[in-house]
Amino acid sequence: MKKDIVLTGITTTGTPHLGNYVGAIRPAINASQNANVSPFYFLADYHALIKCQEPERVRQSSLEIAAMWLALGLDTDNAVFYRQSDVPEILELTWLLTCVTSKGLMNRSHAYKSAVAENEQSAENDAEKGITMGLFSYPILMAADILLFNANKVPVGRDQLQHIEMTRDIAARFNHIYGEYFALPEAVIDGNGSILAGLDGRKMSKSYHNTIPLFESERMLKKLINKIKTNSIEPHEPKDTSDCTLFSMYKAFAKPDEVAEVERRYAEGIGWGEMKSMLFGKVNEEIAPARDRYKELLLQPDYIEEQLQIGAAKARTFSQPFMAELREAVGISRF
Ligand code: TRP
């Protein structure tokens, strides 16, 4: 059986939260321990430059996100774990792809269109204001990330679906012109529908400011869980588990028999205070060991660097020969 090549990147701005963890990171860590999968996970630091021009923030976020993957037990013997910028073939491929991508395709990108729409709302009457070529051609860089390793499965959030479709279009275009070099990747949408709700009950998302950061201190974790919005049904009154943020979060962390027990307690009328403290206990139990490792790892940047360099070397055993073939394919070679 041919192994699935599963590839995903995390943009190195900001801090991962429990929603990212449940929807994307935890499944990716589990997949890394599956011998039938060949995982490629990377820090998308070139993508970070599209939204962030604060060098220290990009550097710090890269370190934190790398430490997070390692702290959560990523199996680096099976998974290829690297920094995008350590694999220069990605940028080289980006150019080859840029030259087969129609501008019209990029005009349709949601990220670009929503930036234009926002500008059109403002009084200044400049639709292109602040839009860089990086933002505009972002989907081509992402296509290069994926196609360079011929990934067939790409786990992403729903918002990234269009980028995977564009990757397929770009790959098909290249294949049509130069021959069958690329596999067409498929998106795998986050966590089989287990989308975690945030503090206000809407989907947990950076843009809603309703997140619980993954490695928040124990004290802050408790405080944030206590802030989760509930209804005003009194203790001892029966409660509904459907549409309850506390319950759905509990379910994302507990075993089936524990969930059944909590369902029974809801019917009996568990108080929200008690439920919050049970939820804190469950989340903390799962996160605490990794949180401790994470803190230790942050103090060992040399170790993290070493892991990333091992990963980049592994990645390049694929990307260098493939890139040589692609260069040849387009007519760029020595005489
Ligand atoms: N653009 C993705 C995001 O913002 C991150 C990313 C970059 C990515 N390159 C990728 C995801 C390649 C999957 C495959 O979430």
Side-chain angles (χ1 to χ4, degrees), residues 7-14 41-54 57-59 61-62 65 82-87 90-91 94 97 106 109 111 132-149 154 156 159-160 162-164 166-167 170 206:
L7 178 143
T8 198
I10 298 194
T11 306
T12 54
T13 50
Y41 300 150
F42 67 96
L43 310 174
D45 54 352
Y46 281 135
H47 282 268
L49 301 186
I50 295 167
K51 5 183 194 177
C52 178
Q53 299 184 333
E54 297 159 57
R57 185 151 152 235
V58 175
R59 220 183 322 270
S61 173
S62 299
I65 291 172
Y82 56 101
R83 219 194 238 114
Q84 186 182 33
S85 59
D86 284 331
V87 181
I90 295 171
L91 283 190
T94 300
L97 299 179
M106 294 300 96
S109 142
T132 63
M133 286 306 295
L135 177 72
F136 184 68
S137 48
Y138 163 150
I140 311 178
L141 177 58
M142 186 152 158
D145 289 331
I146 297 168
L147 298 177
L148 186 59
F149 297 102
V154 186
V156 283
D159 60 314
Q160 297 289 318
Q162 189 197 32
H163 295 146
I164 309 303
M166 289 178 157
T167 300
I170 296 169
K206 254 192 299 206

Side-chain angles (χ1 to χ4, degrees), residues 239-257:
K239 296 178 175 65
D240 194 358
T241 53
S242 61
D243 217 21
C244 174
T245 305
L246 296 177
F247 181 77
S248 65
M249 203 177 276
Y250 189 84
K251 209 170 150 190
F253 285 87
K255 298 187 196 67
D257 59 320

